[in-house]
Amino acid sequence: MAGNNNDLMRGNPPGIMLIRSMRRKDWSLKTYKYVVLLITFIAYTSYHASRKPSSIVKSVLHPHPFLNETVSNPWPIGPLFIKKETLGPIDLGKSRKGPLFIKNETLGPMGLSKSRKKGWEPFNDEDGTSKLGEIDVAFLACYSIGMYVAGHLGDSLDLRLFLTTGMIGSGIFVGLFGMGYFWKIHAFWFYLLMQMVAGLFQSTGWPSVVAVIGNWFGKRKRGLIMGIWNAHTSVGNISGSLMAAGVLEYGWGWSFIVPGAFIFFAGIMVYLLLPAYPEDVGFPCPDRPSSEDSLSPINDEEAQRVKENMGENGQGNVPRVGSGSRTSVGLLDACLIPGVIPFALCLFFSKLVAYTFLYWLPFYLSQTAIGGEYVSVKSAGNLSALFDVGGIVGGILAGYLSDKLDARATTAASFMYAAIPSMLLYRKYGGVSEFMNILLMMIAGLFVNGPYALITTAVSADLGTHSSLKGDSRALATVTAIIDGTGSMGAALGPLLTGFLSTKGWDAVFIMLVVGALSAGLLLSRLVLFELSEKFSKRLACGQHNSGGSASQPLLRDQR
């Protein structure tokens, strides 16, 4: 019997076993849920933080030929806006002496020729922006391809060990990219290879964390819970921006090494403290038909009693399937789940828009006048973090509305349509003043990241536990991988096209973003119509039932 228990509990993290032995009693189900939310939040925060440095250092690797950055402490320690120094005869006007700007002197006419020699070979040539775009697409292409494999492996292997391996590998190769600065490597293939391998390791993250959350939380209030939890994406982007910008003055290599170390040590924390399945620590799975997700004391006590009975009787009343003993669902079977393909295609265009902002917004800010003045590379990184602040609000709001309306597709499509005017307004009026730039950037972040967050979290978890799977939660990572893997192809395409379109002018880039947002909304049209017709039918049936009409019975029967 002891051997059987050891087999069932082999997914138990060593850190939890140590805490349990020290406390001489186990945590409650509610505590475990909070621990899972916190650990997975930190884990994916570190994933996004390690992706952000490349966008921060773009303007250092390939500097603007007319402008030079001013070094200062990063925001929030230093000022938010830092004006760039002008090199040569170009006069950007007198600098304001307010708290957001620092005045700088102009350099002599020889500064222009020197500035062209700045940057980092091989990215400081005329085709530097194209090479930077190729670096981005190499990472995202390997990320999207690896996602399909990672999803299937995540459903077949121990999620905790799989996630740990991906995080430690990501940290190593992100750090190696930064080591190119200290080793004085100027070969393009080196940076391309480091990003490709890092992309493969990073593909382990999202299917794994969504599967873990889906394993611990049922469908009730999933949109709100995962909307709040999905703030890790924006928190990761913000923390990555601040980390990368904070050490930039010591050499751009540190901007990769510090976030790389962050995800490395976060991976060790995952190994020590993350239970991938409730069964790994002795609790029943919330996806059973008789169970509803809740953090309420009642459900917590019920689950605790089940666990205690299992320990006293030597065997469980509920099947306990540990981390290594489930069977996974094939890619084709997962694709046939209703709604997977439309949401996957929608996410293709949604991530095209979101990742274009993620990778190119700091570069755009550094080359665009705000209130008639340019900001430094460091300030551009600081400002871009505010886009993700809006994204946090958007993810929570989209999750709440989708729960309230019980209409995931309608909510996602509405946000994508609203993103179109918000991006156009940002392009047209973002340069009027600092205040307008911040306000419109946060509004754009809200509508751009809202549907992206909803689809990659609550929608993926819903479809991964669809009724057609008969409760097999081992489809969670596979379904998440299909949806997010397809979306990541769009994430790779957006930054690649931006690298070329930006040479034609930023208006061309924003046209691409508008087309992408419109396409994302239209791809959900069929699901939106279905949701709306379903709600209309329910209201009609409810009205007829209240009025005592017998005609409601066929409608209700058809609805069932």
Side-chain angles (χ1 to χ4, degrees), residues 413-484:
S414 299
F415 270 67
M416 288 311 309
Y417 291 139
I420 296 174
S422 69
M423 291 188 294
L424 293 176
L425 288 172
Y426 178 66
R427 172 58 183 161
K428 185 171 180 62
Y429 298 107
V432 171
S433 66
E434 316 91 72
F435 174 77
M436 287 298 294
N437 190 284
I438 292 173
L439 177 64
L440 294 175
M441 185 194 306
M442 293 179 69
I443 293 174
L446 185 151
F447 289 116
V448 167
N449 283 353
Y452 160 43
L454 179 65
I455 295 171
T456 54
T457 54
V459 170
S460 296
D462 286 350
L463 296 175
T465 54
H466 195 268
S467 58
S468 63
L469 296 169
K470 299 178 182 178
D472 186 357
S473 62
R474 273 295 195 176
L476 271 167
T478 304
V479 169
T480 302
I482 292 171
I483 293 176
D484 203 48

Side-chain angles (χ1 to χ4, degrees), residues 63-68 84-90 92 111-112 115-116:
H64 194 287
F66 302 111
L67 298 168
N68 181 35
K84 282 186 176 178
E85 295 173 337
T86 55
L87 303 176
I90 299 175
L92 296 178
L112 182 60
S115 73
R116 292 187 183 276

Side-chain angles (χ1 to χ4, degrees), residues 98-424:
L100 292 179
F101 282 81
I102 295 177
K103 183 178 180 180
N104 298 293
E105 298 178 356
T106 57
L107 301 182
M110 293 301 293
L112 182 60
S113 60
K114 290 181 180 178
S115 73
R116 292 187 183 276
K117 297 179 182 178
K118 290 180 178 289
W120 188 265
E121 191 181 348
F123 303 107
N124 59 350
D125 296 329
E126 292 182 359
D127 62 344
T129 55
S130 296
K131 286 182 177 177
L132 290 170
E134 290 170 17
I135 287 287
D136 291 340
V137 77
F139 172 88
L140 291 167
C142 290
Y143 176 82
S144 60
I145 294 171
M147 185 77 71
Y148 294 101
V149 179
H152 187 69
L153 289 176
D155 281 335
S156 305
L157 304 175
D158 188 321
L159 277 173
R160 178 174 58 89
L161 299 179
F162 186 62
L163 183 58
T164 299
T165 303
M167 295 176 72
I168 291 176
S170 296
I172 291 172
F173 283 93
V174 169
L176 285 175
F177 190 102
M179 289 303 297
Y181 170 81
F182 300 100
W183 294 336
K184 300 187 184 303
I185 296 176
H186 298 283
F188 177 67
W189 66 264
F190 172 81
Y191 299 103
L192 188 69
L193 180 62
M194 292 303 102
Q195 285 290 77
M196 291 173 69
V197 179
L200 290 174
F201 276 106
Q202 291 255 330
S203 67
T204 60
W206 192 241
S208 299
V209 294
V210 172
V212 170
I213 293 296
N215 292 333
W216 278 91
F217 294 88
K219 293 186 178 182
R220 194 157 67 91
K221 294 186 179 179
R222 180 178 276 169
L224 178 59
I225 291 172
M226 299 190 85
I228 298 172
W229 171 76
N230 192 65
H232 54 52
T233 299
S234 297
V235 172
N237 291 339
I238 294 169
S239 60
S241 296
L242 298 181
M243 280 189 281
V247 296
L248 189 60
E249 61 188 287
Y250 304 108
W252 64 261
W254 286 108
S255 296
F256 286 88
I257 291 173
V258 172
F262 177 33
I263 190 173
F264 183 94
F265 288 109
I268 295 176
M269 179 193 65
V270 165
Y271 173 76
L272 294 174
L273 296 172
L274 180 66
Y277 288 88
E279 299 97 327
D280 290 341
V281 287
F283 287 101
C285 177
D287 282 322
R288 290 184 303 116
S290 61
S291 177
E292 284 290 335
D293 168 54
S294 177
L295 292 176
S296 66
I298 296 176
N299 282 359
D300 183 37
E301 291 171 3
E302 289 175 354
Q304 191 69 41
R305 284 198 299 271
V306 170
K307 181 177 179 179
E308 290 171 357
N309 291 335
M310 293 167 78
E312 292 172 1
N313 300 332
Q315 61 183 12
N317 300 324
V318 182
R320 289 170 55 194
V321 189
S323 293
S325 54
R326 294 179 184 240
T327 57
S328 60
V329 172
L331 283 174
L332 181 59
D333 291 334
C335 287
L336 296 177
I337 297 173
V340 167
I341 296 301
F343 275 113
L345 294 176
C346 172
L347 191 62
F348 176 92
F349 290 101
S350 179
K351 289 192 77 168
L352 182 150
V353 176
Y355 270 67
T356 297
F357 277 100
L358 173 67
Y359 279 95
W360 284 95
L361 183 57
F363 189 75
Y364 170 76
L365 288 166
S366 69
Q367 295 199 351
T368 305
I370 301 174
E373 296 173 333
Y374 287 81
V375 297
S376 72
V377 175
K378 215 173 262 253
S379 287
N382 295 337
L383 273 174
S384 68
L386 298 177
F387 178 86
D388 293 295
V389 173
I392 294 174
V393 178
I396 296 173
L397 183 61
Y400 172 77
L401 290 176
S402 68
D403 279 343
K404 192 77 173 176
L405 302 174
D406 192 21
R408 307 280 198 221
T410 304
T411 303
S414 299
F415 270 67
M416 288 311 309
Y417 291 139
I420 296 174
S422 69
M423 291 188 294
L424 293 176

Side-chain angles (χ1 to χ4, degrees), residues 75-89:
W75 175 81
I77 300 174
L80 181 60
F81 283 86
I82 308 165
K83 184 185 174 184
K84 282 186 176 178
E85 295 173 337
T86 55
L87 303 176

